[in-house]
Amino acid sequence: MSETAAIRILLVDDQPLLRMGFRLILEGEDDLCVVGEASDGAEAVRQVRDLTPDVVLMDVAMPLLDGVEATRRLRRLLPSARIVAFAGSDDKEVITAMIEAGASAYCMKG
């Protein structure tokens, strides 16, 4: 499948090694293309305007702007994007906050 037809993904996590791992896994698929990475929610909001990803993989706990607020902002900027939240916690309050902010799904990092 060509890159133009691939699902465009933005990776958002404050841990560079985790982003690298996700990138390696995702880019092994023909129909997926990682178009950018951000180390916090504020950077993700800045990048989404230019990159227009189809999917944003969003960490919940990050410095500067957490995943909940970043998700709210991204939904306003790019309503067509799907946001998949991921975290190291299965805290029901956090899951609820992410879904209410506009995340399409919630996954555990482990």
Side-chain angles (χ1 to χ4, degrees):
M1 186 174 267
S2 69
E3 186 173 320
T4 56
I7 297 169
R8 299 167 48 81
I9 301 170
L10 174 62
L11 300 175
V12 186
D13 193 291
D14 58 330
Q15 298 177 31
L17 288 176
L18 191 63
R19 290 194 315 268
M20 183 176 67
F22 273 123
R23 179 181 281 275
L24 289 171
I25 292 167
L26 295 170
E27 288 187 338
E29 300 296 322
D30 292 338
D31 57 347
L32 302 177
C33 176
V34 176
V35 295
E37 296 182 19
S39 60
D40 61 65
E43 186 179 356
V45 170
R46 287 190 301 274
Q47 286 190 26
V48 79
R49 291 182 182 127
D50 295 328
L51 300 175
T52 60
D54 302 306
V55 176
V56 178
L57 295 182
M58 177 74 70
D59 186 16
V60 174
M62 295 180 292
L64 300 181
L65 187 64
D66 69 12
V68 175
E69 184 56 30
T71 297
R72 280 190 195 103
R73 294 180 189 188
L74 292 179
R75 297 300 302 147
R76 288 191 298 267
L77 287 171
L78 190 62
S80 63
R82 298 292 180 237
I83 300 171
V84 177
F86 61 95
S89 167
D90 63 355
D91 182 319
K92 289 181 182 174
E93 288 181 22
V94 173
I95 296 169
T96 300
M98 283 302 291
I99 299 299
E100 287 176 351
S104 301
Y106 188 94
C107 302
M108 296 294 297
K109 284 185 181 179

